[in-house]
PDB file of all heavy atoms in Angstrom:
ATOM      1  N   LEU A 242       0.587 -17.872  20.729  1.00 98.00           N
ATOM      2  CA  LEU A 242       1.662 -17.950  21.759  1.00 98.00           C
ATOM      3  C   LEU A 242       1.016 -17.709  23.165  1.00 98.00           C
ATOM      4  O   LEU A 242       1.354 -18.476  24.108  1.00 98.00           O
ATOM      5  CB  LEU A 242       2.729 -16.956  21.441  1.00 98.00           C
ATOM      6  CG  LEU A 242       3.858 -16.836  22.439  1.00 98.00           C
ATOM      7  CD1 LEU A 242       4.720 -18.130  22.383  1.00 98.00           C
ATOM      8  CD2 LEU A 242       4.721 -15.624  22.186  1.00 98.00           C
ATOM      9  N   ALA A 243       0.256 -16.613  23.298  1.00 98.00           N
ATOM     10  CA  ALA A 243      -0.299 -16.331  24.647  1.00 98.00           C
ATOM     11  C   ALA A 243      -1.153 -17.440  25.123  1.00 98.00           C
ATOM     12  O   ALA A 243      -0.969 -17.904  26.293  1.00 98.00           O
ATOM     13  CB  ALA A 243      -1.136 -15.007  24.523  1.00 98.00           C
ATOM     14  N   HIS A 244      -2.016 -18.017  24.279  1.00 98.00           N
ATOM     15  CA  HIS A 244      -2.961 -19.055  24.699  1.00 98.00           C
ATOM     16  C   HIS A 244      -2.238 -20.345  25.069  1.00 98.00           C
ATOM     17  O   HIS A 244      -2.658 -21.117  25.940  1.00 98.00           O
ATOM     18  CB  HIS A 244      -4.007 -19.263  23.651  1.00 98.00           C
ATOM     19  CG  HIS A 244      -4.859 -18.040  23.438  1.00 98.00           C
ATOM     20  ND1 HIS A 244      -5.635 -17.822  22.307  1.00 98.00           N
ATOM     21  CD2 HIS A 244      -5.049 -16.925  24.202  1.00 98.00           C
ATOM     22  CE1 HIS A 244      -6.187 -16.600  22.407  1.00 98.00           C
ATOM     23  NE2 HIS A 244      -5.915 -16.064  23.554  1.00 98.00           N
ATOM     24  N   ALA A 245      -1.174 -20.666  24.310  1.00 98.00           N
ATOM     25  CA  ALA A 245      -0.376 -21.870  24.629  1.00 98.00           C
ATOM     26  C   ALA A 245       0.244 -21.785  26.013  1.00 98.00           C
ATOM     27  O   ALA A 245       0.563 -22.766  26.653  1.00 98.00           O
ATOM     28  CB  ALA A 245       0.713 -22.063  23.578  1.00 98.00           C
ATOM     29  N   ASN A 246       0.358 -20.548  26.530  1.00 98.00           N
ATOM     30  CA  ASN A 246       0.928 -20.343  27.814  1.00 98.00           C
ATOM     31  C   ASN A 246      -0.120 -19.930  28.857  1.00 98.00           C
ATOM     32  O   ASN A 246       0.250 -19.348  29.937  1.00 98.00           O
ATOM     33  CB  ASN A 246       2.092 -19.336  27.790  1.00 98.00           C
ATOM     34  CG  ASN A 246       3.271 -19.912  27.024  1.00 98.00           C
ATOM     35  OD1 ASN A 246       4.092 -20.610  27.626  1.00 98.00           O
ATOM     36  ND2 ASN A 246       3.353 -19.627  25.711  1.00 98.00           N
ATOM     37  N   ASP A 247      -1.361 -20.106  28.525  1.00 98.00           N
ATOM     38  CA  ASP A 247      -2.524 -19.765  29.399  1.00 98.00           C
ATOM     39  C   ASP A 247      -2.535 -18.342  29.775  1.00 98.00           C
ATOM     40  O   ASP A 247      -2.846 -17.921  30.886  1.00 98.00           O
ATOM     41  CB  ASP A 247      -2.503 -20.599  30.697  1.00 98.00           C
ATOM     42  CG  ASP A 247      -2.991 -22.010  30.383  1.00 98.00           C
ATOM     43  OD1 ASP A 247      -3.868 -22.128  29.504  1.00 98.00           O
ATOM     44  OD2 ASP A 247      -2.453 -22.956  31.050  1.00 98.00           O
ATOM     45  N   LEU A 248      -2.152 -17.410  28.853  1.00 98.00           N
ATOM     46  CA  LEU A 248      -2.091 -15.993  29.138  1.00 98.00           C
ATOM     47  C   LEU A 248      -3.098 -15.253  28.296  1.00 98.00           C
ATOM     48  O   LEU A 248      -3.362 -15.646  27.178  1.00 98.00           O
ATOM     49  CB  LEU A 248      -0.719 -15.426  28.816  1.00 98.00           C
ATOM     50  CG  LEU A 248       0.471 -15.975  29.624  1.00 98.00           C
ATOM     51  CD1 LEU A 248       1.745 -15.463  29.054  1.00 98.00           C
ATOM     52  CD2 LEU A 248       0.313 -15.568  31.101  1.00 98.00           C
ATOM     53  N   PRO A 249      -3.676 -14.191  28.833  1.00 98.00           N
ATOM     54  CA  PRO A 249      -4.587 -13.379  27.953  1.00 98.00           C
ATOM     55  C   PRO A 249      -3.776 -12.431  27.034  1.00 98.00           C
ATOM     56  O   PRO A 249      -2.689 -11.926  27.463  1.00 98.00           O
ATOM     57  CB  PRO A 249      -5.375 -12.587  28.935  1.00 98.00           C
ATOM     58  CG  PRO A 249      -4.490 -12.452  30.138  1.00 98.00           C
ATOM     59  CD  PRO A 249      -3.659 -13.660  30.184  1.00 98.00           C
ATOM     60  N   LEU A 250      -4.269 -12.249  25.833  1.00 98.00           N
ATOM     61  CA  LEU A 250      -3.738 -11.198  24.971  1.00 98.00           C
ATOM     62  C   LEU A 250      -4.654 -10.010  25.052  1.00 98.00           C
ATOM     63  O   LEU A 250      -5.827 -10.031  24.723  1.00 98.00           O
ATOM     64  CB  LEU A 250      -3.677 -11.714  23.482  1.00 98.00           C
ATOM     65  CG  LEU A 250      -3.269 -10.709  22.486  1.00 98.00           C
ATOM     66  CD1 LEU A 250      -1.889 -10.121  22.739  1.00 98.00           C
ATOM     67  CD2 LEU A 250      -3.245 -11.369  21.070  1.00 98.00           C
ATOM     68  N   ILE A 251      -4.060  -8.919  25.601  1.00 98.00           N
ATOM     69  CA  ILE A 251      -4.838  -7.641  25.832  1.00 98.00           C
ATOM     70  C   ILE A 251      -4.458  -6.670  24.704  1.00 98.00           C
ATOM     71  O   ILE A 251      -3.308  -6.533  24.327  1.00 98.00           O
ATOM     72  CB  ILE A 251      -4.505  -7.059  27.209  1.00 98.00           C
ATOM     73  CG1 ILE A 251      -4.756  -8.049  28.262  1.00 98.00           C
ATOM     74  CG2 ILE A 251      -5.199  -5.742  27.428  1.00 98.00           C
ATOM     75  CD1 ILE A 251      -4.118  -7.677  29.661  1.00 98.00           C
ATOM     76  N   ASN A 252      -5.428  -5.960  24.163  1.00 98.00           N
ATOM     77  CA  ASN A 252      -5.176  -5.036  23.107  1.00 98.00           C
ATOM     78  C   ASN A 252      -5.828  -3.649  23.386  1.00 98.00           C
ATOM     79  O   ASN A 252      -7.062  -3.569  23.436  1.00 98.00           O
ATOM     80  CB  ASN A 252      -5.696  -5.575  21.762  1.00 98.00           C
ATOM     81  CG  ASN A 252      -5.147  -4.797  20.545  1.00 98.00           C
ATOM     82  OD1 ASN A 252      -4.630  -3.712  20.714  1.00 98.00           O
ATOM     83  ND2 ASN A 252      -5.200  -5.421  19.385  1.00 98.00           N
ATOM     84  N   ASP A 253      -5.004  -2.664  23.658  1.00 97.00           N
ATOM     85  CA  ASP A 253      -5.562  -1.296  23.863  1.00 97.00           C
ATOM     86  C   ASP A 253      -5.584  -0.621  22.491  1.00 97.00           C
ATOM     87  O   ASP A 253      -4.612  -0.184  21.939  1.00 97.00           O
ATOM     88  CB  ASP A 253      -4.640  -0.505  24.826  1.00 97.00           C
ATOM     89  CG  ASP A 253      -5.114   0.956  24.904  1.00 97.00           C
ATOM     90  OD1 ASP A 253      -6.223   1.263  24.464  1.00 97.00           O
ATOM     91  OD2 ASP A 253      -4.310   1.808  25.375  1.00 97.00           O
ATOM     92  N   LEU A 254      -6.823  -0.597  21.918  1.00 96.00           N
ATOM     93  CA  LEU A 254      -6.981  -0.153  20.547  1.00 96.00           C
ATOM     94  C   LEU A 254      -7.134   1.324  20.436  1.00 96.00           C
ATOM     95  O   LEU A 254      -7.088   1.880  19.297  1.00 96.00           O
ATOM     96  CB  LEU A 254      -8.264  -0.837  20.019  1.00 96.00           C
ATOM     97  CG  LEU A 254      -8.338  -1.303  18.614  1.00 96.00           C
ATOM     98  CD1 LEU A 254      -7.004  -2.003  18.172  1.00 96.00           C
ATOM     99  CD2 LEU A 254      -9.484  -2.172  18.388  1.00 96.00           C
ATOM    100  N   GLY A 255      -7.275   2.042  21.537  1.00 94.00           N
ATOM    101  CA  GLY A 255      -7.379   3.481  21.438  1.00 94.00           C
ATOM    102  C   GLY A 255      -8.705   3.942  20.894  1.00 94.00           C
ATOM    103  O   GLY A 255      -9.718   4.030  21.618  1.00 94.00           O
ATOM    104  N   SER A 256      -8.750   4.252  19.587  1.00 92.00           N
ATOM    105  CA  SER A 256     -10.010   4.785  19.032  1.00 92.00           C
ATOM    106  C   SER A 256     -11.131   3.803  18.943  1.00 92.00           C
ATOM    107  O   SER A 256     -12.275   4.120  19.218  1.00 92.00           O
ATOM    108  CB  SER A 256      -9.724   5.314  17.627  1.00 92.00           C
ATOM    109  OG  SER A 256      -9.950   6.672  17.581  1.00 92.00           O
ATOM    110  N   GLY A 257     -10.825   2.528  18.502  1.00 88.00           N
ATOM    111  CA  GLY A 257     -11.883   1.543  18.425  1.00 88.00           C
ATOM    112  C   GLY A 257     -12.879   1.791  17.313  1.00 88.00           C
ATOM    113  O   GLY A 257     -13.950   2.315  17.460  1.00 88.00           O
ATOM    114  N   LEU A 258     -12.519   1.322  16.117  1.00 94.00           N
ATOM    115  CA  LEU A 258     -13.398   1.468  14.964  1.00 94.00           C
ATOM    116  C   LEU A 258     -14.415   0.319  14.970  1.00 94.00           C
ATOM    117  O   LEU A 258     -14.057  -0.833  15.314  1.00 94.00           O
ATOM    118  CB  LEU A 258     -12.557   1.228  13.672  1.00 94.00           C
ATOM    119  CG  LEU A 258     -12.033   2.381  12.884  1.00 94.00           C
ATOM    120  CD1 LEU A 258     -11.513   1.893  11.593  1.00 94.00           C
ATOM    121  CD2 LEU A 258     -13.154   3.446  12.654  1.00 94.00           C
ATOM    122  N   LEU A 259     -15.653   0.639  14.636  1.00 96.00           N
ATOM    123  CA  LEU A 259     -16.667  -0.378  14.535  1.00 96.00           C
ATOM    124  C   LEU A 259     -16.949  -0.738  13.116  1.00 96.00           C
ATOM    125  O   LEU A 259     -17.584  -1.722  12.796  1.00 96.00           O
ATOM    126  CB  LEU A 259     -17.936   0.008  15.281  1.00 96.00           C
ATOM    127  CG  LEU A 259     -17.866   0.010  16.789  1.00 96.00           C
ATOM    128  CD1 LEU A 259     -19.220   0.334  17.380  1.00 96.00           C
ATOM    129  CD2 LEU A 259     -17.334  -1.281  17.382  1.00 96.00           C
ATOM    130  N   MET A 260     -16.511   0.133  12.183  1.00 95.00           N
ATOM    131  CA  MET A 260     -16.745  -0.147  10.765  1.00 95.00           C
ATOM    132  C   MET A 260     -15.560   0.308   9.959  1.00 95.00           C
ATOM    133  O   MET A 260     -14.770   1.144  10.332  1.00 95.00           O
ATOM    134  CB  MET A 260     -18.070   0.517  10.296  1.00 95.00           C
ATOM    135  CG  MET A 260     -18.099   1.998  10.475  1.00 95.00           C
ATOM    136  SD  MET A 260     -19.806   2.598  10.205  1.00 95.00           S
ATOM    137  CE  MET A 260     -19.636   3.037   8.516  1.00 95.00           C
ATOM    138  N   ASP A 261     -15.445  -0.309   8.810  1.00 94.00           N
ATOM    139  CA  ASP A 261     -14.328  -0.069   7.828  1.00 94.00           C
ATOM    140  C   ASP A 261     -14.489   1.305   7.254  1.00 94.00           C
ATOM    141  O   ASP A 261     -15.486   1.687   6.680  1.00 94.00           O
ATOM    142  CB  ASP A 261     -14.419  -1.143   6.710  1.00 94.00           C
ATOM    143  CG  ASP A 261     -13.186  -1.068   5.818  1.00 94.00           C
ATOM    144  OD1 ASP A 261     -12.283  -0.223   6.070  1.00 94.00           O
ATOM    145  OD2 ASP A 261     -13.119  -1.859   4.882  1.00 94.00           O
ATOM    146  N   MET A 262     -13.405   2.116   7.449  1.00 93.00           N
ATOM    147  CA  MET A 262     -13.479   3.537   6.914  1.00 93.00           C
ATOM    148  C   MET A 262     -12.782   3.697   5.589  1.00 93.00           C
ATOM    149  O   MET A 262     -12.624   4.801   5.085  1.00 93.00           O
ATOM    150  CB  MET A 262     -12.927   4.511   7.962  1.00 93.00           C
ATOM    151  CG  MET A 262     -13.715   4.619   9.262  1.00 93.00           C
ATOM    152  SD  MET A 262     -15.437   5.142   9.012  1.00 93.00           S
ATOM    153  CE  MET A 262     -15.193   6.935   8.937  1.00 93.00           C
ATOM    154  N   ARG A 263     -12.280   2.582   4.997  1.00 93.00           N
ATOM    155  CA  ARG A 263     -11.563   2.715   3.735  1.00 93.00           C
ATOM    156  C   ARG A 263     -12.386   3.288   2.569  1.00 93.00           C
ATOM    157  O   ARG A 263     -11.839   4.027   1.764  1.00 93.00           O
ATOM    158  CB  ARG A 263     -10.933   1.355   3.339  1.00 93.00           C
ATOM    159  CG  ARG A 263      -9.627   1.107   4.102  1.00 93.00           C
ATOM    160  CD  ARG A 263      -9.097  -0.273   3.778  1.00 93.00           C
ATOM    161  NE  ARG A 263      -9.974  -1.347   4.283  1.00 93.00           N
ATOM    162  CZ  ARG A 263      -9.756  -2.630   4.175  1.00 93.00           C
ATOM    163  NH1 ARG A 263      -8.651  -3.038   3.552  1.00 93.00           N
ATOM    164  NH2 ARG A 263     -10.586  -3.498   4.756  1.00 93.00           N
ATOM    165  N   PRO A 264     -13.683   3.017   2.511  1.00 91.00           N
ATOM    166  CA  PRO A 264     -14.465   3.580   1.462  1.00 91.00           C
ATOM    167  C   PRO A 264     -14.433   5.111   1.503  1.00 91.00           C
ATOM    168  O   PRO A 264     -14.742   5.778   0.494  1.00 91.00           O
ATOM    169  CB  PRO A 264     -15.883   3.122   1.694  1.00 91.00           C
ATOM    170  CG  PRO A 264     -15.722   1.877   2.487  1.00 91.00           C
ATOM    171  CD  PRO A 264     -14.486   2.069   3.325  1.00 91.00           C
TER     172      PRO A 264
END
Side-chain angles (χ1 to χ4, degrees):
L242 177 69
H244 298 160
N246 291 277
D247 284 328
L248 297 171
L250 174 59
I251 302 166
N252 195 341
D253 174 16
L254 216 45
S256 242
L258 264 189
L259 289 185
M260 57 192 266
D261 187 2
M262 294 301 278
R263 280 175 293 181

